């Protein structure tokens, strides 16, 4: 079964609004990463947060991690039409080598 | 090269035929991964190569799937006797030894089995 599960499955917002996506996972992790995918092709790495970190920022992105709840959130502030994409969380599971376990993703649509 | 490249971009084949998908990782990256993504789904791990170690094949869905990595660089994923359920986007990623958490993905090969 999938380790990470994102919600919502789809999100539609207006340009300039903030978008929040959540990810839950089941087992202990080394780190959690967020990726973006445009048009069903290659993934772009956005940000990595380690299990001993609680919050991380990168530009308009803010990621939080709550290991007690086994959950993470990705916040995109001041969204742009170009942010329209699918967003996936992926966990580097302890004892699972270096394989990433992906969730099913959140489809974000930013309307201009 | 500047990034991970994959070929072909698209492949249409008939059920029962064999296909080969190619991945060129980023130069100097010792770890290489294959994933499969079915329509509207997340990525499913297939196989992982790390240096000269034996590959982790735990994600391969059946014995029709195999992969090799020659010279520690280029990798080929082979699907024998393709089935319609093999239709998906096959993504390759590579990462640098010692910085294995960040994986850099190629554009993928979209496979359609008729």
């Amino acid at each position: 079964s999938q380790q990470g599960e994102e919600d919502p499955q789809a999100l539609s917002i207006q340009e300039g609004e903030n978008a929040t996506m959540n990810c839950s996972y089941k087992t202990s992790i080394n780190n959690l990463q967020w990726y973006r995918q445009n048009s069903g092709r290659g993934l772009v790495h956005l940000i990595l947060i380690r299990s001993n970190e609680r919050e991380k920022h990168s530009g308009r992105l803010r990621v939080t991690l709550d290991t007690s709840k086994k959950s993470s959130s990705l916040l995109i502030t001041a969204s742009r039409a170009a942010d329209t994409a699918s967003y996936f969380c992926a966990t580097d599971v302890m004892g699972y080598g270096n394989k990433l376990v992906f969730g099913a993703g959140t489809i974000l649509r930013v309307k201009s | 090269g500047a990034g991970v490249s994959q070929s072909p971009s698209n492949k249409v084949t008939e059920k029962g035929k064999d296909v080969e998908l190619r991945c060129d990782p980023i130069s100097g990256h010792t770890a290489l991964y294959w994933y499969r993504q079915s329509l509207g789904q997340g990525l499913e791990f297939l196989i992982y190569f790390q240096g000269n170690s034996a590959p982790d094949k735990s994600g391969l869905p059946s014995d029709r799937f195999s992969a090799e990595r020659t010279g520690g660089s280029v990798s080929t994923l082979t699907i024998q006797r393709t089935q319609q359920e093999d239709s998906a986007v096959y993504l390759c990623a590579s990462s640098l030894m010692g910085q294995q958490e960040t994986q850099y993905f190629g554009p993928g090969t979209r496979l359609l089995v008729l």
Side-chain angles (χ1 to χ4, degrees), chain A residues 79-92:
Chain A
S79 63
R80 305 167 182 169
D83 295 328
T84 295
S86 293
Y87 291 81
F88 295 90
C89 69
T91 49
D92 181 353

Side-chain angles (χ1 to χ4, degrees), chain A residues 29-99:
Chain A
I29 62 172
N30 295 311
N31 62 67
L32 185 146
Q33 305 177 52
W34 285 90
Y35 285 84
R36 184 183 73 209
Q37 184 179 41
N38 291 85
S39 303
R41 300 308 289 257
L43 277 73
V44 174
H45 181 261
L46 295 176
I47 196 165
L48 178 152
I49 186 166
R50 299 189 187 282
S51 60
N52 61 351
E53 297 176 311
R54 292 297 167 258
E55 188 171 313
K56 204 162 184 180
H57 296 255
S58 176
R60 293 184 295 112
L61 305 180
R62 172 178 169 256
V63 169
T64 62
L65 179 64
D66 187 334
T67 52
S68 66
K69 295 181 180 178
K70 292 186 168 60
S71 68
S72 173
S73 68
L74 170 67
L75 169 67
I76 304 174
T77 60
S79 63
R80 305 167 182 169
D83 295 328
T84 295
S86 293
Y87 291 81
F88 295 90
C89 69
T91 49
D92 181 353
V93 180
M94 281 186 177
Y96 200 45
N98 295 102
K99 301 184 287 283

Side-chain angles (χ1 to χ4, degrees), chain B residues 8-79:
Chain B
S9 297
N10 296 281
K11 176 71 176 179
V12 180
T13 190
E14 294 178 349
K15 178 181 173 182
K17 295 283 181 67
D18 297 352
V19 295
E20 283 191 353
L21 312 179
R22 177 187 168 107
C23 172
D24 280 272
I26 293 173
S27 178
H29 280 194
T30 60
L32 186 148
Y33 312 78
W34 283 98
Y35 295 88
R36 178 171 70 175
Q37 185 178 30
S38 300
L39 186 64
Q41 300 296 314
L43 275 70
E44 172 191 12
F45 166 79
L46 297 177
I47 189 169
Y48 160 52
F49 295 90
Q50 173 57 279
N52 296 321
S53 302
D56 179 348
K57 304 178 181 180
S58 60
L60 295 178
S62 77
D63 59 7
R64 295 186 296 104
F65 288 72
S66 63
E68 62 178 23
R69 189 179 184 191
T70 54
S73 181
V74 171
S75 177
T76 302
L77 176 69
T78 301
I79 309 173

